Amino acid sequence: RLATIVESSDAAIIGKTLEGEIVSWNRGAEKMYGYAAAEVLGRSITLLLPQNQQDEEDKILRQLRRGEGLNNYETRRRRKDAQEIIASLTISPVKDPSGKIIGACVIARDVTEQKRAQEVIKKWAHIFEHAEWGVVVGSADGTTLEMMNPAFAKMHGYTVAELIGRPILEVFAPQSRAAVPAQISRAHQQGHYSFESLHIRKDGSIFPVLVDMTAVKDE
């Protein structure tokens, strides 16, 4: 049963000796690295390491010999097609019945797309935070200010902390508030809607704005 679980797992599960020789290779490993089991069994696991990381395996093996494993260790690995991926590894010592360490089990997941997505989010977060134009995100029902950049808060004479959670209508001038629900509804229906309006600052002064509203959708 255990062998069936290992073989059918989506994660790459690899067994290796304390010399780094590959002794087991499941279907998840085939899918992740592009090698069939017959191509890698008996070979050094350094086959999967980029050229500039070949000494990494020696460090890992020294740790394993001391009985120390690695959890969620992120590093780069090389596929059969020479493409480099980012892998998250959990490496555990394997012991015989007497407690002697005889090898290691490596469980690996390809987190390349996840890391790329995180980098994209970081870039957009930087743009959001430092944009000179005011950017604000409202709740799905269009009633509450959920997040905003410093430029939006400064434009209205507030700090970000003062505006978070307050009604969206509070930043619109009284004479413009009646039209806002219909404008938000139109943005929801069309996906995007721009309109001119009047906003009000903390000190009560009113100023004209161009609102460019885009509906934010989930998957």
Side-chain angles (χ1 to χ4, degrees), residues 35-51:
Y35 290 98
E39 295 178 283
V40 297
L41 292 179
R43 298 177 67 177
S44 172
I45 203 162
T46 55
L47 171 74
L48 307 177
L49 274 63
Q51 287 300 319

Side-chain angles (χ1 to χ4, degrees), residues 13 50 65 68 95 125 130 134 139 142 161 166 168 181 195 198-199 208:
I13 302 178
R65 292 187 186 105
E68 301 171 5
K95 302 178 181 180
H130 298 284
S139 59
R166 296 178 71 163
I168 285 176
F195 57 94
L198 296 173
H199 276 200

Side-chain angles (χ1 to χ4, degrees), residues 15-201:
K16 66 179 181 180
T17 67
L18 288 179
E19 288 69 44
E21 178 186 326
I22 298 171
V23 293
S24 64
W25 184 266
N26 75 338
R27 291 177 186 172
E30 290 186 2
K31 182 178 179 181
M32 180 169 168
Y33 293 110
Y35 290 98
E39 295 178 283
V40 297
L41 292 179
R43 298 177 67 177
S44 172
I45 203 162
T46 55
L47 171 74
L48 307 177
L49 274 63
Q51 287 300 319
N52 61 350
Q53 289 180 218
Q54 290 294 305
D55 61 342
E56 184 182 89
E57 181 62 14
D58 289 336
K59 297 175 184 177
I60 292 173
L61 291 174
R62 283 198 296 271
Q63 246 182 280
L64 288 168
R65 292 187 186 105
R66 294 195 301 266
E68 301 171 5
L70 291 169
N71 289 315
N72 301 318
Y73 172 64
E74 288 188 1
T75 186
R76 303 191 77 83
R77 287 294 180 262
R78 185 178 58 193
R79 289 171 39 87
K80 182 180 180 179
D81 60 10
Q83 177 186 351
E84 287 191 11
I85 60 173
I86 301 173
S88 176
L89 310 179
T90 296
I91 307 175
S92 306
V94 174
K95 302 178 181 180
D96 66 12
S98 69
K100 179 183 177 182
I101 299 172
I102 58 172
C105 175
V106 182
I107 300 177
R109 292 190 180 276
D110 183 351
V111 295
T112 307
E113 291 306 316
Q114 177 184 331
K115 299 301 289 186
R116 285 176 181 165
Q118 289 173 355
E119 288 303 313
V120 169
I121 290 171
K122 284 181 182 178
K123 289 177 182 178
W124 280 113
H126 182 82
I127 292 170
F128 179 85
E129 189 69 19
H130 298 284
E132 293 184 4
W133 285 24
V135 184
V136 62
V137 179
S139 59
D141 60 8
T143 62
T144 308
L145 298 167
E146 290 195 341
M147 61 186 297
M148 70 202 63
N149 69 346
F152 182 88
K154 183 179 180 181
M155 180 190 305
H156 294 83
Y158 294 90
T159 65
V160 170
E162 287 178 310
L163 279 180
I164 293 293
R166 296 178 71 163
I168 285 176
L169 286 180
E170 284 193 11
V171 300
F172 285 87
Q175 60 265 48
S176 297
R177 290 173 185 170
V180 173
Q183 290 161 339
I184 293 174
S185 177
R186 195 163 181 180
H188 282 177
Q189 292 170 4
Q190 298 180 1
H192 178 259
Y193 181 58
S194 296
F195 57 94
E196 292 184 1
S197 188
L198 296 173
H199 276 200
I200 186 168
R201 297 187 182 93

